[in-house]
Amino acid sequence: MTQSFDVDSFIRSRKQTRVVSDLLKAQAADYLTTVAALVRPQPLFGEYLQGAPRGSGRETQHHFKEFRTLFDKHAGQRPFNLMNELEVPLNIINSTPELFPLEYDHALPGGGTVRVTSPSRWVVGYASFDLSRFRQVVRDPNRSGSELHRFVVHYLMLFHCFSRAGGLGRLFKGLRFPVGFQQLDDFGDLPFCVISSPVEATLPPDEVIRHSTEIAGNDSFEELISAEAIEGMHDELREQLTQALAEAPPR
């Protein structure tokens, strides 16, 4: 976007973004609910999870060893600095996946940082383990070590289940909501599962962001979705079919 700051047009863009974002999130959440059974930890970990039925001994042991390695790699590092080890069986309180807003920091020229929310990308977590609460616990110098431990275990468990679900990435890509893994501000090297939409949201010029945050009196901002971004959506299947027809030999 290369627009000067105009209050009316900015408000209109914000409203349009919210409408589109709500529709996209509802669609992504519906897909996530449909495939939730494929990323449940119980079949993978069996008796290593509290209350789960016994699974295939060799396979469940393999998954637990992988998860323990993953936990040891991240839990003791900054910003968590956890010293307590995994207790068996693991207590996974809730394994229902849910979408939370993806946020990141954006530095403004001349000083100042804005916390930006994406309207077209979401972090996958478990219900009852809100990402914003996780961030609060990480930042709190007087935090509860046991609560932080539960958050780290649950988000690593979700990452493990999604990364081991064969074919799930291709399925979501075909649905035009690709799944990826990335690190987020405030959480060190911890890997998070992120679902993106087929519509790209962007930031306006920094001057627009500065004006908006000054008027609102806070340091938060949301990316914007333009009509041009919707019109420019790519349909990978259509492009593949078009290319196939173009390359097909003539009769």
Side-chain angles (χ1 to χ4, degrees), residues 70-90:
L70 185 67
F71 179 84
D72 291 343
K73 176 181 178 181
H74 294 283
Q77 303 299 316
R78 299 179 60 184
F80 312 117
N81 302 317
L82 289 170
M83 302 301 294
N84 42 338
E85 299 180 354
L86 287 176
E87 296 183 359
V88 180
L90 300 171

Side-chain angles (χ1 to χ4, degrees), residues 14 113-114 209-221:
R14 288 289 301 272
T113 301
V114 174
I209 299 175
R210 189 181 298 277
H211 279 301
S212 172
T213 54
E214 288 177 350
I215 292 174
N218 57 42
D219 57 356
S220 62
F221 192 84

Side-chain angles (χ1 to χ4, degrees), residues 42-49 51-58 60-61:
Q42 287 80 3
L44 300 181
F45 288 84
E47 65 273 19
Y48 287 96
L49 288 188
R54 187 175 182 84
S56 170
R58 182 173 296 180
T60 56
Q61 185 180 48

Side-chain angles (χ1 to χ4, degrees), residues 5 30 44 49 78 91 94 146 166 175 191:
F5 188 73
D30 184 51
L44 300 181
L49 288 188
R78 299 179 60 184
N91 184 16
N94 194 319
S146 59
L175 294 171

Side-chain angles (χ1 to χ4, degrees), residues 9-29:
S9 62
F10 179 74
I11 292 176
R12 184 164 56 252
S13 294
R14 288 289 301 272
K15 289 181 178 179
Q16 292 174 346
T17 295
R18 182 49 36 211
V19 169
V20 174
S21 177
D22 288 345
L23 289 172
L24 291 172
K25 183 179 180 181
Q27 187 69 79

Side-chain angles (χ1 to χ4, degrees), residues 133-166:
R133 175 57 188 166
F134 190 9
R135 184 175 284 108
Q136 291 174 1
V137 174
V138 169
R139 291 177 172 179
D140 186 357
N142 301 314
R143 64 199 181 196
S144 163
S146 59
E147 183 179 15
L148 180 62
H149 183 273
R150 287 193 296 272
F151 270 103
V152 171
V153 166
H154 279 74
Y155 274 91
L156 284 176
M157 177 62 70
L158 189 139
F159 166 77
H160 177 87
C161 293
F162 261 84
S163 62
R164 298 301 183 272

